[in-house]
DNA sequence: TATTGTTATACTCTATAACTATA
DNA sequence: TATAGTTATAGAGTATAACAATA
């Protein structure tokens, strides 16, 4: 196996470096797995969140997924144009749009999740079930860590 | 702590999703840690690789770090403009440039690595030493996994 | 005042194709 | 022909500032 990957000098012991490389490998394989669906990581994420919280507005979806409001606009537009998401004015707050999946959206999400599970199995083939659980736990604790100052 | 982060529906059990979020948290804090230095993740990575393999050419640096040749050009230009890297024609292969760190480059790398170690300590404060080692091991095995088809 | 969605904008990262000069 | 570096370009992710409508 390529020795070049070993010559990372001072980067070797850095979790951040390996996180970047592992994330990159996952992202590339994910894009491959989505081939032909017209979907991307972020779009599937939005479908999953809307599926779990029907009627949610796009600002809230953004907060769940760590996407800025300004960047949500075109993403939601894409999904509406693809007829995967329905967007209606929320009667209880007329500034906001209530989002729900269309039937096509539910089908698409189901199909994507099946492809994603295969992609995850391939990427994690070298890890035992216990190791996958450990990885999920450790990553989760990094995400939810206490912010540095309050 | 924000309940919104929990409402990820089908994304919850996906390693790829949590890898994306943990990587995002690391990247944001890394950028913060580099404040005032003019450096970014990729630039520090290049300095570290050149430091470990003086005289290496930029294509090889790109292969080590997973950066395409075309994208290396402007990155190396940046580092040369900042006078952190020296680029001389390799006498043994006049197509290539041999890269080495300048004194300023060595100083910058040392300073950045100190900041990065503090950043890593902060990001991983909730993990024991054993857990950090486990995380490095698991991420490393994902990076170096066997490609799907040969 | 604060919030929702929006527009405009900019920077970075990533990717591909085509070119040159050397090997 | 293959490789090192380059140029041009395009798509995607991420960030901020400012605005209108509504709360």
């Amino acid at each position: 196996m390529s020795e070049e990957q070993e010559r990372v000098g001072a980067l070797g012991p850095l979790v951040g470096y390996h996180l970047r490389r592992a994330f990159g490998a996952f992202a590339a394989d994910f894009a491959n797995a989505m081939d032909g669906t017209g979907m991307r990581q972020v779009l599937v994420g939005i479908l999953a969140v809307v599926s779990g919280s029907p009627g949610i507005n796009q600002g809230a979806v953004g907060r769940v997924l760590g996407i800025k409001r300004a960047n949500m606009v075109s993403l939601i537009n894409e999904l509406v144009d693809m007829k995967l998401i329905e967007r209606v004015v929320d009667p209880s707050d007329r500034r906001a749009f209530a989002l729900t999946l269309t039937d096509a959206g539910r089908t698409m999400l189901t199909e994507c999740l099946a492809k994603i599970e295969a992609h995850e199995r391939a990427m994690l083939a070298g890890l035992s079930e216990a190791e996958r659980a450990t990885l999920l736990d450790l990553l989760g604790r990094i995400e939810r860590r206490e912010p540095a100052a309050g």
Side-chain angles (χ1 to χ4, degrees), chain A:
Chain A
M1 197 151 305
S2 71
E3 284 184 28
E4 263 168 349
Q5 287 185 13
E6 310 302 329
R7 303 194 185 171
V8 294
L11 306 180
L14 298 180
V15 169
Y17 170 71
H18 295 284
L19 213 40
R20 173 179 178 274
R21 297 305 300 266
F23 168 72
F26 256 80
D29 192 78
F30 186 100
N32 244 316
M34 289 301 103
D35 221 51
T37 65
M39 297 293 285
R40 308 190 302 280
Q41 257 181 334
V42 197
L43 299 180
V44 178
I46 295 173
L47 289 190
V49 170
V50 173
S51 172
S53 304
I56 192 173
N57 70 50
Q58 67 191 57
V61 174
R63 281 191 296 276
V64 171
L65 292 174
I67 305 169
K68 303 270 180 210
R69 276 187 300 284
N71 296 326
M72 285 299 296
V73 179
S74 64
L75 296 172
I76 296 294
N77 283 341
E78 279 189 76
L79 292 169
V80 169
D81 291 348
M82 294 165 91
K83 303 200 186 300
L84 301 178
I85 272 196
E86 200 174 22
R87 170 176 50 186
V88 301
V89 172
D90 183 340
S92 72
D93 181 348
R94 287 172 25 241
R95 293 171 301 185
F97 289 121
L99 304 176
T100 51
L101 294 196
T102 63
D103 285 346
R106 272 181 286 274
T107 302
M108 176 64 91
L109 178 57
T110 302
E111 287 174 3
C112 285
L113 287 174
K115 290 176 194 290
I116 291 168
E117 276 154 30
H119 140 79
E120 289 245 331
R121 275 195 300 275
M123 293 297 298
L124 300 170
L127 275 58
S128 71
E129 268 308 313
E131 286 170 333
R132 296 182 204 192
T134 299
L135 182 54
L136 274 179
D137 171 56
L138 295 175
L139 293 175
R141 282 157 63 192
I142 290 172
E143 289 173 55
R144 288 185 297 273
R145 83 195 187 287
E146 288 296 325

